[in-house]
């Protein structure tokens, strides 16, 4: 069986960034210009002489692997950290050295972190207009004025949310909108968005990108940080790449490919090969016939064989995740049948699916895949607690610890201690823990829904190496992704879904990736 990629390591060429950036309108003054930005933490150089600029109203991507310095530069720009002596920071051509968070906000610099930093018990209006009521002296809160300010901002964004609802009751996508609206109340001119789509569904992501484009049209510069390279190339006009705390370059996204951007971010060339395993005689593990669910998917039929990786791709809202949820017992189809190892099964709940031998890795790792405050160990064994009970119906600690250690070693998860909170891990290692949790159930069928969301490009190869190993050992795998290179180089067959139906099937190697991309985006 072919491996997901063979890697030849080389250092990407430097010095071509100026040529790429030179294609922009050089007559305009940058909104923000940085030169010679360095930061040292305890002798470790987190940033080394970084430089780049941001133009008014542009959507710029800040790209790089985890630990490359993206968060550090954002904290310097927002006044949380101070750079080393010799740094040059200009906004509208004037020096802004010595920033603190309050002055940065006064200048119109806003950061929307991944955790959003909202007040869950307060209303939408209170969260949006929160900073209007801050000050050194107590003052009477004018709720009418607060609601009016919040209403105007939401109208400007083209969205509608009940101003009296508590933020706790909102979806993640709605909370993102509230965080953006709060930034605009302070007359934001430059907004940083840290992984804004990491926990959003495809439809929610599309809605958020519309808001980003609206901000850009209003003259607000947006710096977009995301590991979803397809989104980056779609919404951004330029991409600034960091690697190991250094500036690699700033490049126009026009003509940029995901492969080239990956090379710039990692400094490595990934020579991908398609899978060429003949599985036509392998036994069928999953067979779906005529599966339908009103307003979600229609007449879906396919097979997944032992040791096969079946890819499913398509545009946002194609119905891929909806099918996966029915296969995992989370929703019930209105028509059709599901067979596992030749026997028809009825899945009323996800417990039925787990007992039947089906595991599901959700695209929403933060909300559905892991319990963030709990330990790495507790998350690893969460799906198999019944198997760890001793004669007194208590969890056998030796059995539990052995299972945790076994999966950490098998999946090469980089951790401190098993008792550390799972939130302390990088995105790639968190995803390995999600895999460990479900692999511990010993499934016959593993459903992977966008398994590399929020995972940097360097860690993706490692995750797919695990997936290929599982397939080589005989596991049937359903791989769902909207990143066509991901399914092309990691699937034996690919199904194209559109508007809830399977419209075409491809075999990588006999069909080009470019042809699939044309079909999907037609």
């Amino acid at each position: 069986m072919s491996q997901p990629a063979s890697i030849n390591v080389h250092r990407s060429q430097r010095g071509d960034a100026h040529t790429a950036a030179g294609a922009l309108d050089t007559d305009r003054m940058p909104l923000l210009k940085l030169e010679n930005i360095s930061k040292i933490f305890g002798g470790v150089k987190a940033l080394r002489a970084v430089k780049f600029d941001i133009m008014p109203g542009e959507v710029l991507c800040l790209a790089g692997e985890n630990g490359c310095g993206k968060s550090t530069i954002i904290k310097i720009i927002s006044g949380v950290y101070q750079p080393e002596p010799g740094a040059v920071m200009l906004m509208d051509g004037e020096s802004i050295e010595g920033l603190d968070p309050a002055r940065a906000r006064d200048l119109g610099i806003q950061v929307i972190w991944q955790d959003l930093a909202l007040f869950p018990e307060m209303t939408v209006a209170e969260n949006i207009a929160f900073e209007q009521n801050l000050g050194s002296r107590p003052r009477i809160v004018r709720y009418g004025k607060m609601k009016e300010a919040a209403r105007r901002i939401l109208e400007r964004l083209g969205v509608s949310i009940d101003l009296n609802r508590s933020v706790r009751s909102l979806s993640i996508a709605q909370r993102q909108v509230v965080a953006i609206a709060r930034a605009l109340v302070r007359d934001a001119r430059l907004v940083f968005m840290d992984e804004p789509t990491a926990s959003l569904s495809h439809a929610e992501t599309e809605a958020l990108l519309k808001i980003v484009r609206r901000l850009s049209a209003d003259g607000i510069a947006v710096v977009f940080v995301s590991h979803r390279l397809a989104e980056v190339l779609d919404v951004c006009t330029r991409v600034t790449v960091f690697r190991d705390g250094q500036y690699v370059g700033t490049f126009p996204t026009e003509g940029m490919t995901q492969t080239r951007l990956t090379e710039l971010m990692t400094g490595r060339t990934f020579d991908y090969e398609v899978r060429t395993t003949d599985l036509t005689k392998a036994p069928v593990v999953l067979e779906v016939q005529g599966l339908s669910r009103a307003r979600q998917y229609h007449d879906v039929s396919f097979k997944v064989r032992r040791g096969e990786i079946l890819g499913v791709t398509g545009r946002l809202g194609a119905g891929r995740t909806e099918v996966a949820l029915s296969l995992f017992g989370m929703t019930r189809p209105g028509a059709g049948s599901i067979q596992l190892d030749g026997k028809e099964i009825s899945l009323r709940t996800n417990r039925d699916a787990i007992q039947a031998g089906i595991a599901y890795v959700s695209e929403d790792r933060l909300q559905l895949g892991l319990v963030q405050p709990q330990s790495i160990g507790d998350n690893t064994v969460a799906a198999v607690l019944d198997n760890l009970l001793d004669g007194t119906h208590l969890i056998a600690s030796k059995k539990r610890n052995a299972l945790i250690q076994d999966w950490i070693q098998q999946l090469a998860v980089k951790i401190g201690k098993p008792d550390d909170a799972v939130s302390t891990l990088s995105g790639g290692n968190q995803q390995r823990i999600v895999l460990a949790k479900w692999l511990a159930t010993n499934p016959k069928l593993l459903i992977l829904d966008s398994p590399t969301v929020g995972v940097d490009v360097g860690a993706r190869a490692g995750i797919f190496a695990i997936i290929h190993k599982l397939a080589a050992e005989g596991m049937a795998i359903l791989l769902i992704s909207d990143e066509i290179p991901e399914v092309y180089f990691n699937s034996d067959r690919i199904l194209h879904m559109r508007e809830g139906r399977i419209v075409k099937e491809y075999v990588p190697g006999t069909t080009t990736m470019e042809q699939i991309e044309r079909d999907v985006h037609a």
Side-chain angles (χ1 to χ4, degrees):
M1 178 171 293
S2 63
Q3 295 300 310
S6 59
I7 300 171
N8 297 321
V9 179
H10 71 90
R11 304 309 297 178
S12 293
Q13 294 180 353
R14 298 176 185 267
D16 52 353
H18 297 293
T19 301
L24 297 171
D25 182 359
T26 55
D27 293 335
R28 295 165 60 199
M29 177 183 292
L31 173 64
L32 181 69
K33 185 177 180 66
L34 306 176
E35 293 183 355
N36 197 35
I37 307 296
S38 299
K39 186 63 183 176
I40 300 174
F41 296 103
V44 177
K45 293 183 178 180
L47 292 175
R48 289 175 282 183
V50 166
K51 60 177 181 179
F52 70 100
D53 58 44
I54 303 166
M55 304 302 291
E58 82 165 322
V59 183
L60 175 78
C61 172
L62 190 56
E65 295 186 272
N66 290 334
C68 70
K70 300 189 300 291
S71 294
T72 302
I73 194 67
I74 292 173
K75 289 179 178 178
I76 287 175
I77 295 169
S78 60
V80 176
Y81 294 156
Q82 294 299 314
E84 305 302 322
V88 176
M89 300 175 63
L90 303 175
M91 193 161 186
D92 295 324
E94 297 184 5
S95 174
I96 56 169
E97 295 175 21
L99 279 183
D100 59 34
R103 185 176 172 222
R105 289 194 297 270
D106 289 339
L107 289 170
I109 299 171
Q110 292 281 347
V111 181
I112 302 172
W113 297 106
Q114 194 169 349
D115 64 6
L116 301 181
L118 298 173
F119 298 94
E121 301 302 336
M122 294 171 65
T123 67
V124 170
E126 288 168 339
N127 270 274
I128 292 175
F130 175 78
E131 291 191 31
Q132 287 187 336
N133 294 285
L134 294 178
S136 59
R137 298 179 181 178
R139 69 184 73 181
I140 296 174
V141 177
R142 298 181 177 178
Y143 286 97
K145 188 175 181 180
M146 180 187 296
K147 287 184 179 181
E148 179 60 23
R151 184 189 61 77
R152 285 198 307 268
I153 294 297
L154 290 178
E155 285 182 352
R156 180 178 174 187
L157 295 177
V159 296
S160 177
I161 302 175
D162 185 351
L163 298 176
N164 295 315
R165 283 183 64 180
S166 69
V167 164
R168 182 180 296 280
S169 69
L170 302 181
S171 67
I172 296 297
Q174 289 172 320
R175 295 181 194 185
Q176 285 278 7
V177 173
V178 171
I180 294 169
R182 184 176 62 183
L184 297 185
V185 165
R186 286 294 301 266
D187 297 322
R189 302 179 63 206
L190 171 60
V191 178
F192 289 85
M193 294 186 177
D194 183 25
E195 292 289 346
T197 62
S199 299
L200 303 187
S201 69
H202 297 314
E204 291 169 337
T205 295
E206 190 68 16
L208 179 65
L209 296 185
K210 286 183 180 178
I211 291 176
V212 170
R213 295 185 181 100
R214 187 184 290 258
L215 295 177
S216 175
D218 285 348
I220 298 170
V222 178
V223 177
F224 201 80
V225 179
S226 176
H227 292 307
R228 291 180 169 180
L229 302 188
E231 292 173 6
V232 165
L233 298 180
D234 180 32
V235 76
C236 299
T237 53
R238 294 192 299 162
V239 54
T240 290
V241 180
F242 282 12
R243 188 196 311 141
D244 299 328
Q246 292 181 284
Y247 173 74
V248 175
T250 297
F251 309 88
T253 54
E254 184 178 358
M256 178 68 72
T257 64
Q258 293 185 45
T259 300
R260 175 57 178 153
L261 185 53
T262 299
E263 292 173 359
L264 290 168
M265 292 165 63
T266 63
R268 296 174 289 178
T269 297
F270 293 81
D271 299 322
Y272 294 102
E273 298 176 355
V274 298
R275 290 168 57 84
T276 56
T277 310
D278 184 4
L279 296 166
T280 54
K281 296 181 179 179
V284 174
V285 175
L286 174 73
E287 183 170 0
V288 174
Q289 293 184 337
L291 213 63
S292 298
R293 180 176 167 84
R295 295 183 295 278
Q296 292 189 352
Y297 54 84
H298 313 281
D299 195 26
V300 172
S301 300
F302 61 86
K303 298 177 182 179
V304 188
R305 297 181 180 274
R306 179 177 169 83
E308 181 180 27
I309 302 176
L310 177 64
V312 183
T313 193
R315 301 186 72 174
L316 302 179
R320 300 162 304 172
T321 294
E322 289 76 10
V323 171
L325 290 174
S326 291
L327 294 177
F328 193 56
M330 299 297 290
T331 61
R332 300 195 70 177
S337 65
I338 302 171
Q339 293 185 12
L340 200 65
D341 285 340
K343 297 179 180 179
E344 187 167 342
I345 58 175
S346 177
L347 304 173
R348 296 180 299 274
T349 67
N350 60 338
R351 287 182 178 272
D352 291 342
I354 295 169
Q355 290 174 0
I358 300 173
Y360 174 53
V361 175
S362 165
E363 65 177 332
D364 189 353
R365 179 180 68 245
L366 295 179
Q367 298 297 316
L368 300 179
L370 297 170
V371 182
Q372 293 289 324
Q374 290 192 5
S375 70
I376 296 165
D378 286 345
N379 275 277
T380 303
V381 300
V384 291
L385 293 177
D386 289 345
N387 299 338
L388 302 177
L389 300 180
D390 59 19
T392 63
H393 296 286
L394 297 175
I395 294 175
S397 59
K398 287 186 178 180
K399 194 173 182 180
R400 171 189 178 275
N401 295 339
L403 182 65
I404 293 167
Q405 196 60 41
D406 181 46
W407 281 112
I408 287 173
Q409 290 178 352
Q410 282 196 52
L411 301 186
V413 188
K414 296 179 182 179
I415 69 168
K417 297 178 295 183
D419 290 336
D420 292 342
V422 75
S423 59
T424 63
L425 299 180
S426 68
N429 283 302
Q430 284 190 14
Q431 193 69 321
R432 289 175 186 237
I433 292 297
V434 177
L435 284 170
K437 179 180 77 172
W438 290 114
L439 294 178
T441 67
N442 193 28
K444 300 173 183 177
L445 172 71
L446 176 62
I447 304 171
L448 300 169
D449 193 351
S450 303
T452 59
V453 168
V455 177
D456 69 48
V457 291
R460 292 185 183 195
I463 288 175
F464 279 114
I466 293 170
I467 294 169
H468 280 245
K469 182 174 181 291
L470 294 171
E473 293 170 350
M475 189 175 293
I477 297 173
L478 189 65
L479 171 62
I480 300 170
S481 177
D482 58 359
E483 296 195 27
I484 293 171
E486 199 162 87
V487 292
Y488 188 82
F489 290 110
N490 293 287
S491 303
D492 298 290
R493 292 182 296 127
I494 301 170
L495 302 180
H496 172 197
M497 285 193 72
R498 175 182 290 153
E499 297 179 352
R501 298 180 183 273
I502 295 175
V503 295
K504 203 164 186 179
E505 178 179 318
Y506 309 92
V507 176
T510 63
T511 304
T512 66
M513 184 169 63
E514 291 72 21
Q515 180 60 55
I516 300 175
E517 289 177 333
R518 283 195 295 269
D519 290 348
V520 168
H521 297 294

